[in-house]
Amino acid sequence: MISRRRLVVASPLLLLPSAAWATAIPPSKTLSFRITCKGAEIGSHTLSFSGDPGSDFTARAEVQVAVRVLGVRLFHYTHHMVETWSGGRFVSLDATTDDDGDKAFATVRRSSDGLSVDGSSGKYTAPGNTLPATHWNIAEMKSPMLNPENGRMIHATIGGPSSDTVPTVSGKSIAATHYTWRGDDTLDLYYAADGTWAGLTALAKDGSKLVYTRV
């Protein structure tokens, strides 16, 4: 989602089973990550879920990043997203992004012929099985994806899964399934045994590594 992913696989039309997303929501209905770069904390990414994971629910994301040197802010990034699901299907998304002054948006609505997308990259109709690359849902690894910042379809090669471990902020480790994402962005995504998002690394435009560590 975080665009220093700039700096956040087609498949047949399907109706996602409830288990594909319900198990990805932790009992606390909250997922929080500390974002670091070159060992320094630069921001946070928080997801909160409301509603009934067995039927209808909403996911909200807030990303805040600020890079400062000697107290002077050199870069900032904010992303606000609301994503809704009903009956096991992705229904809608509303998102706004400020990438160091560059504004972007994405509005997605399910329609009779797929997903109507209106974003800063343009308007079009996406296949009905497309998912937003908001990363909390492991099902995105096997579906067409769109960028929740600007609505653009994502063309990436997904590798894996493989077994791995990722640390948490508390110092504990999570046994995780590791997927690689290669395309316009270079990401590595990690999911715990219960399907919840466990971590992420991404290459920034300057080649430095961004690390998401679960709180």
Side-chain angles (χ1 to χ4, degrees), residues 128-207:
N129 60 334
T130 301
L131 294 179
T134 47
H135 300 331
W136 64 266
N137 185 358
I138 194 171
E140 77 178 47
M141 296 294 100
K142 294 184 179 180
S143 296
M145 292 180 283
L146 61 84
N147 188 327
E149 293 174 336
N150 54 32
R152 183 182 297 120
M153 288 296 291
I154 292 172
H155 302 285
T157 299
I158 305 299
S162 60
S163 298
D164 211 327
T165 59
V166 289
T168 65
V169 168
S170 68
K172 296 181 179 179
S173 294
I174 299 174
T177 300
H178 175 193
Y179 290 90
T180 60
W181 167 317
R182 301 295 183 264
D184 290 341
D185 303 305
T186 299
L187 306 177
D188 288 86
L189 289 140
Y190 303 86
Y191 296 90
D194 62 0
T196 56
W197 185 18
L200 174 149
T201 64
L203 288 184
K205 292 177 70 176
D206 65 359

Side-chain angles (χ1 to χ4, degrees), residues 45-56:
H45 184 140
T46 300
L47 282 152
S48 59
F49 303 91
S50 59
D52 181 2
S55 57
D56 299 345

Side-chain angles (χ1 to χ4, degrees), residues 24-66:
I25 301 174
S28 65
K29 292 191 175 183
T30 301
L31 280 171
S32 296
F33 296 87
R34 181 178 65 186
I35 304 172
T36 57
C37 183
K38 299 178 181 178
E41 184 173 353
I42 60 171
S44 63
H45 184 140
T46 300
L47 282 152
S48 59
F49 303 91
S50 59
D52 181 2
S55 57
D56 299 345
F57 74 96
T58 299
R60 291 177 171 82
E62 298 287 336
V63 186
Q64 302 281 342
V65 172

Side-chain angles (χ1 to χ4, degrees), residues 74-97:
L74 301 181
F75 170 82
H76 71 275
Y77 174 96
T78 60
H79 177 79
H80 309 280
M81 182 278 298
V82 179
E83 176 184 349
T84 62
W85 286 68
S86 180
R89 292 201 298 175
F90 166 62
V91 173
S92 70
L93 178 138
D94 294 275
T96 58
T97 302

Side-chain angles (χ1 to χ4, degrees), residues 9-33:
V9 184
S11 60
L13 184 64
L14 53 84
L15 177 65
L16 289 174
S18 297
W21 47 266
T23 56
I25 301 174
S28 65
K29 292 191 175 183
T30 301
L31 280 171
S32 296
F33 296 87

